[in-house]
Amino acid sequence: MSLLFNSKVIYGGIFLATLSGCSPDKTNEQTTTATPPVAQSTAINYQLATAEITNANDFALQQEAIYFPFYDLGITAEAVKNLNVLADGVAQASQSVDSDGDGTLDGLLLAADFNPAEIKSFTISSDPTIAKPALKKQTQAEISVKEGGEWKGKEYVGGTFKNVQSVTPPPQYTDHSFWIRYEGPGIESDKVAYRVYLDWRNGFDIFGKKTKDMVLQNVGLDGYDSYHLNSDWGVDVLKVGKSLGMGGFGFWNGKSVDLVSLVDTRDAIITNNGDIYSGFKINYNGWQINNQKVDLAAHFTMNAGSRLVNVQLKASQQLPNLAIGLVKHQGTTLLEGNQNVSGYAWTYVASWGKQSLSGEDDHLGMAVIFRRDDRAEQTTDENSYVSVMKDKGGELEYYFLAAWEHELDGIKTEADFKAYLDREVERLTKTPRVRFESTLSANAKKNPLDADTALAWAKKLADSELERKTLNYHYQGWDEYRKRPGKFEYDVVGMQIAALQELNAVSPNPAYTKALETVTGSYIRDDGHIHTFEPDLFSIDLTKPGQMVILLEQQTGAEKYRKAVDFLRENLKRHPRTSGGAFWHRATYPNQLWLDGVYMGIPFLAQYASIYETGEQQHASFKEAVHEFVIAREQLRDPETGLYYHAWDESKQAPWAHNEHGRASQFWSRGIGWYAMALVDVLDFIPESETELRKTLIDNTQELAADILRYQDEATGTWWQIMNKPGAIANYRESTASAMFTYFYTKAVNKGYLPEPYREVAMKSYQGMINEFVTVHADGKISMNDQCLVAGLGFGRDGSYDYYMTERIVSNDAKGNTPFILAGVEMYKLLKQ
């Protein structure tokens, strides 16, 4: 059975169909405990993986680049000689690449065409008898320096040009030294070519092309002047001056951009030079900026058939006010992409006008493309249109592109340029949906499901994540996906740590117990203050880690933990509510009840009451907890389908809210998953003496179990991102919700809330979760894939079907890891009986 992975990471300018969630350590891989047993075979099997790839857009894709990491294929860079991607047994255009520019090949790139919404199947093979197809070279990266001459001051005299793999200019090198051909490294596709000045200007320039052939190897051989004259191949079409040029970067000082000028040294390295993918890297060593010295690495890559250059920036330390942008020529029009989109969605800033140097009074369009949430400010200085970017740990990914009207398929009007940009950002945001299964993973899944197997899968993901990043989420640590210092968050500080404690109860491991203190405990000061917690934000999400603080208090008896949990409880008492008593999701989401919040706040409320309250006070808290489920059912359940809408705005004022009933429009599967998990978890704390309250929750449990079962994917036993629209364009089988429902069914059967026939439902759901979403790696780790990283409403998130298709899809996030581990623990209990 193939597994779906849609971990959307654009890395090196390609769609990275990554399964691991974070890059493996290439130099010091540590083997964890044994994976679930892998079947052995003496026969040679050259099939490494299968992939079913779907175009998630309603328009065609040409030469769409899809990347398969060697780590997920279960192979090393040393074993890549005979790799091919086959479709119907025919070898396709592919290339082994170094996507991160570290000097080691790390994955296989496929370039494939798709009709709108088309599904295609591929096989990845290492069969040495299959020849790679003959490809025309459509990309190139190069740098060329003179040899055989001599330096005379700052000018190199004599000699001939020779292409090299890397170069570090000597101290005397500067602009117009006549040593580097066209003054820096160059990169091109069959559409357009670019160069970067490898000197104090750090200018980004454009070579407009009139041919699809590669041209850079012949540019500048006779000096600097010739490529400024129109020729058969094209011409230098941009005057850069002291600006950011074509998508360059620098530092915003509050008034203007400081270019990357003052550096100790610059290194230029060709990282890839293949038929369908090429790139180079520039290391800016010792950049003197903002009263500090920073090392900055920039990796530039291009794909065949594309105008876009992907740029990956990585600084040696945090760098606020990093700026990207475009030269600001007189008479140009500034264009901006849609800003009413999710933070992860791509958008752009562009210029259009008669700004070409070709001498033909022609049009040139330029753009920088970035994720909406990455930009802090749009501004200008004397020379450039400037996008000031947020600091996210010193890393930034963006694209730049140019479209010259004299290309063979040139864009000639502003309207056509804007339409092209709108389509490009939609393509980048809604990347292909890929169902992938490596042979290594398929073999590991052949063992029949029993208690020990279920427990092994749970431990394997828990142990893998402990090695990868779980322990990094402590106070003043680093949040991998949010790209910010650690905060008292519901998922990484609350949920995942809770899953480790549940796992520890059936399979003790000191590492699981230590994580509780290392991560959650680190946020609690000696006086009970909770670091990073904002009480007046009234975010119900931030109540979730309180359950782990309760556990710390119960285990240690430390006064600081009791003070912290009491504070959280008091904050709930003053939390704003709807007229019916439901907790607002957050102060910035007034009058709104979200399904998410039922899980985030109500288990803590019930657990606190069960431990620290007595008598009428306790009963009132239990009643308050159950009431949240009742009002959520009243306001969010659709009687026709039995499914729950994601959220409800009592005021009906939110942009996503229906103007008559205030509900959001979609049945988001994880939203329903939050509600389902909350039901079975809160029942843990409501005592048997509270007969009516328990009956309300058990009735809801039984009703929901029947309703969501009707929407289970029959073929795989999983659930789709938007539950009632299986197979709709861009929809996909989503792993976090599938794991949540698996946990819900299994625990409800274990607790007796659901009758025995649901045992088979639970087992089918569990097996589907493993088959569809797990990848086994050769180093013993596993990954859980196809996780919707986040989805919400408001602030650019309009709650439409299309919105839920644009949120980032990742691997190994706590919102999926947690129910995966909990489902494994419950399945272990079920099958151990």
Side-chain angles (χ1 to χ4, degrees):
M1 183 78 64
S2 296
L3 85 98
L4 176 65
F5 66 87
N6 291 326
S7 176
K8 301 301 182 284
V9 181
I10 301 300
Y11 201 1
I14 52 185
F15 162 53
L16 175 54
T18 185
L19 303 173
S20 57
C22 63
S23 299
D25 184 340
K26 296 178 181 179
T27 60
N28 190 26
E29 287 286 354
Q30 298 296 314
T31 303
T32 60
T33 56
T35 60
V38 177
Q40 301 295 320
S41 173
T42 57
I44 296 177
N45 182 7
Y46 293 116
Q47 179 174 301
L48 296 175
T50 60
E52 178 190 277
I53 304 177
T54 304
N55 180 2
N57 294 285
D58 60 3
F59 52 83
L61 302 175
Q62 283 81 44
Q63 293 188 280
E64 185 71 7
I66 299 172
Y67 171 82
F68 301 99
F70 295 156
Y71 184 61
D72 302 320
L73 292 172
I75 60 175
T76 62
E78 290 74 29
V80 303
K81 183 177 180 181
N82 301 309
L83 289 182
N84 261 306
V85 182
L86 311 176
D88 296 323
V90 178
Q92 306 295 298
S94 67
Q95 178 186 330
S96 293
V97 299
D98 173 11
S99 67
D100 57 8
D102 72 346
T104 302
L105 296 175
D106 50 43
L108 183 64
L109 180 70
L110 164 69
D113 298 338
F114 295 88
N115 293 322
E118 183 180 11
I119 302 173
K120 286 186 173 182
S121 295
F122 300 90
T123 300
I124 300 170
S125 172
S126 60
D127 188 342
T129 66
I130 300 175
K132 276 191 173 293
L135 302 177
K136 181 178 180 179
K137 191 167 180 59
Q138 290 183 273
T139 68
Q140 179 172 220
E142 64 161 18
I143 186 164
S144 184
V145 300
K146 276 187 176 179
E147 292 183 345
E150 61 179 337
W151 285 99
K152 292 187 176 180
K154 294 184 178 181
E155 184 174 330
Y156 194 85
V157 178
T160 56
F161 286 114
K162 178 183 178 181
N163 277 26
V164 293
Q165 281 298 111
S166 64
V167 64
T168 301
Q172 69 269 28
Y173 177 78
T174 186
D175 61 289
H176 297 85
S177 283
F178 299 96
W179 183 58
I180 301 178
R181 186 159 53 87
Y182 57 78
E183 301 196 273
I187 191 169
E188 69 177 312
S189 71
D190 48 325
K191 299 280 189 181
V192 62
Y194 307 93
R195 60 172 172 152
V196 177
Y197 304 149
L198 200 63
D199 56 51
W200 65 271
R201 297 169 296 173
N202 200 46
F204 288 49
D205 203 355
I206 310 164
F207 291 126
K209 291 175 58 174
K210 300 178 183 178
T211 175
K212 291 185 179 296
D213 295 334
M214 298 295 97
V215 302
L216 283 179
Q217 68 275 10
N218 297 317
V219 173
L221 289 172
D222 53 355
Y224 291 162
D225 295 329
S226 62
Y227 50 77
H228 292 100
L229 303 175
N230 235 317
S231 61
D232 290 342
W233 66 264
V235 66
D236 181 341
V237 295
L238 186 66
K239 180 174 177 59
V240 176
K242 297 181 180 180
S243 75
L244 288 168
M246 173 63 268
F249 47 82
F251 177 82
W252 179 250
N253 63 26
K255 295 181 180 180
S256 61
V257 174
D258 295 330
L259 301 177
V260 188
S261 298
L262 300 176
V263 301
D264 293 340
T265 59
R266 292 175 174 84
D267 310 316
I269 304 161
I270 305 303
T271 60
N272 298 266
N273 188 16
D275 293 336
I276 61 174
Y277 179 79
S278 292
F280 65 81
K281 185 177 184 179
I282 300 179
N283 294 319
Y284 303 88
N285 306 307
W287 179 24
Q288 300 175 44
I289 199 69
N290 196 33
N291 299 315
Q292 59 185 328
K293 268 196 175 186
V294 179
D295 294 334
L296 181 67
H299 192 207
F300 305 83
T301 56
M302 288 191 82
N303 301 321
S306 175
R307 297 180 176 92
L308 277 65
V309 173
N310 177 269
V311 185
Q312 297 273 348
L313 299 180
K314 187 169 185 178
S316 57
Q317 55 191 282
Q318 290 184 277
L319 187 61
N321 290 359
L322 190 67
I324 62 175
L326 307 166
V327 60
K328 184 178 67 175
H329 284 312
Q330 188 174 2
T332 55
T333 301
L334 180 68
L335 307 173
E336 287 211 53
N338 186 9
Q339 301 303 304
N340 191 33
V341 293
S342 71
Y344 180 73
W346 295 90
T347 188
Y348 60 84
V349 168
S351 68
W352 175 264
K354 293 183 177 181
Q355 54 184 328
S356 165
L357 272 180
S358 70
E360 298 185 16
D361 195 34
D362 44 14
H363 292 92
L364 175 67
M366 297 183 289
V368 287
I369 297 175
F370 48 85
R371 293 188 179 93
R372 196 264 296 169
D373 187 56
D374 284 351
R375 184 176 65 173
E377 176 188 2
Q378 185 64 36
T379 186
T380 63
D381 66 9
E382 181 180 355
N383 301 302
S384 304
Y385 297 116
V386 182
S387 298
V388 183
M389 311 307 283
K390 298 176 182 177
D391 178 56
K392 296 193 174 182
E395 296 183 4
L396 177 68
E397 177 187 27
Y398 71 99
Y399 295 84
F400 63 75
L401 69 90
W404 181 43
E405 73 169 279
H406 292 304
E407 297 169 13
L408 292 181
D409 51 355
I411 297 172
K412 294 179 170 53
T413 69
E414 179 183 320
D416 286 346
F417 183 53
K418 189 174 189 312
Y420 163 74
L421 291 174
D422 289 339
R423 180 161 288 193
E424 282 298 284
V425 296
E426 185 172 1
R427 179 185 67 83
L428 290 172
T429 300
K430 293 200 295 188
T431 46
R433 308 315 194 203
V434 185
R435 299 177 72 200
F436 170 98
E437 180 91 299
S438 69
T439 300
L440 182 65
S441 299
N443 287 337
K445 298 173 186 178
K446 289 180 178 179
N447 295 317
L449 177 58
D450 58 25
D452 291 339
T453 301
L455 184 61
W457 285 118
K459 287 175 64 65
K460 182 51 60 181
L461 184 60
D463 295 347
S464 297
E465 278 298 284
L466 278 169
E467 287 200 44
R468 284 190 288 244
K469 59 186 184 294
T470 298
L471 299 180
N472 297 337
Y473 293 115
H474 58 81
Y475 176 55
Q476 296 183 326
W478 187 250
D479 193 318
E480 176 80 14
Y481 283 124
R482 293 180 176 93
K483 296 298 181 186
R484 68 185 186 201
K487 289 188 176 183
F488 193 68
E489 289 286 357
Y490 66 94
D491 49 357
V492 293
V493 177
M495 293 171 56
Q496 186 155 289
I497 302 303
L500 293 179
Q501 308 321 302
E502 291 295 321
L503 184 57
N504 189 66
V506 297
S507 182
N509 183 338
Y512 303 157
T513 55
K514 184 179 179 182
L516 176 62
E517 179 65 39
T518 300
V519 179
T520 311
S522 70
Y523 287 87
I524 312 304
R525 211 164 61 188
D526 287 344
D527 61 359
H529 173 79
I530 303 172
H531 290 297
T532 77
F533 184 79
E534 301 176 61
D536 292 334
L537 182 61
F538 293 113
S539 173
I540 197 71
D541 284 349
L542 303 186
T543 308
K544 189 64 184 174
Q547 289 187 266
M548 290 300 95
V549 184
I550 289 176
L551 183 58
L552 282 165
E553 191 279 329
Q554 292 290 289
Q555 289 181 351
T556 68
E559 184 181 5
K560 65 177 182 177
Y561 296 131
R562 179 60 191 269
K563 287 180 177 179
V565 297
D566 286 347
F567 177 79
L568 290 172
R569 179 65 183 97
E570 289 302 310
N571 211 54
L572 273 185
K573 290 179 181 178
R574 66 187 194 97
H575 197 108
R577 304 169 190 240
T578 67
S579 62
F583 292 100
W584 285 10
H585 195 65
R586 200 165 71 179
T588 51
Y589 301 125
N591 308 297
Q592 296 175 24
L593 167 64
W594 293 19
L595 288 172
D596 318 40
V598 181
Y599 179 73
M600 302 304 164
I602 305 309
F604 170 82
L605 172 60
Q607 185 178 11
Y608 183 95
S610 72
I611 296 172
Y612 302 115
E613 296 176 350
T614 59
E616 187 55 38
Q617 182 188 37
Q618 183 186 71
H619 173 72
S621 294
F622 288 151
K623 187 175 179 181
E624 183 180 29
V626 173
H627 180 67
E628 190 83 359
F629 292 95
V630 172
I631 196 168
R633 183 181 182 278
E634 289 174 352
Q635 298 299 338
L636 295 172
R637 185 176 184 271
D638 173 47
E640 183 176 340
T641 62
L643 301 179
Y644 286 64
Y645 295 100
H646 187 179
W648 166 64
D649 175 19
E650 184 176 31
S651 72
K652 308 178 183 64
Q653 297 302 306
W656 50 263
H658 192 280
N659 58 12
E660 292 181 7
H661 52 65
R663 299 185 190 100
S665 65
Q666 301 299 314
F667 302 122
W668 179 43
S669 58
R670 187 161 78 222
I672 302 171
W674 291 131
Y675 187 83
M677 289 204 302
L679 280 168
V680 293
D681 284 358
V682 169
L683 276 163
D684 287 344
F685 308 116
I686 308 293
E688 295 289 343
S689 59
E690 296 283 4
T691 308
E692 290 302 315
L693 295 180
R694 286 183 62 84
K695 183 178 186 304
T696 298
L697 296 183
I698 292 171
D699 286 349
N700 273 16
T701 297
Q702 293 173 351
E703 177 184 65
L704 183 64
D707 290 336
I708 63 175
L709 182 58
R710 292 195 294 271
Y711 294 91
Q712 186 181 37
D713 184 54
E714 179 62 29
T716 65
T718 63
W719 282 264
W720 293 72
Q721 165 79 333
I722 297 299
M723 285 183 67
N724 63 329
K725 298 179 181 179
I729 190 168
N731 206 2
Y732 58 97
R733 298 169 183 86
E734 203 278 330
S735 67
T736 69
S738 297
M740 288 174 177
F741 295 142
T742 302
Y743 169 64
F744 165 73
Y745 279 123
T746 313
K747 184 172 182 178
V749 171
N750 281 338
K751 294 287 188 176
Y753 309 144
L754 293 177
E756 182 64 20
Y758 277 101
R759 177 187 177 96
E760 293 303 315
V761 174
M763 292 180 66
K764 178 179 179 179
S765 302
Y766 185 85
Q767 193 65 64
M769 178 183 72
I770 299 299
N771 289 346
E772 193 72 12
F773 302 124
V774 171
T775 290
V776 177
H777 304 293
D779 64 0
K781 298 185 183 74
I782 70 168
S783 289
M784 182 189 183
N785 312 300
D786 269 4
Q787 301 171 336
C788 173
L789 181 61
V790 67
L793 296 161
F795 298 95
R797 303 172 296 183
D798 65 6
S800 65
Y801 172 82
D802 188 67
Y803 156 68
Y804 288 96
M805 298 303 110
T806 65
E807 283 289 10
R808 186 178 180 186
I809 308 169
V810 300
S811 300
N812 303 323
D813 177 62
K815 292 178 285 294
N817 302 341
T818 298
F820 181 100
I821 294 167
L822 293 175
V825 170
E826 291 298 327
M827 185 57 65
Y828 168 78
K829 295 176 182 177
L830 181 69
L831 298 178
K832 199 73 172 176
Q833 295 174 5

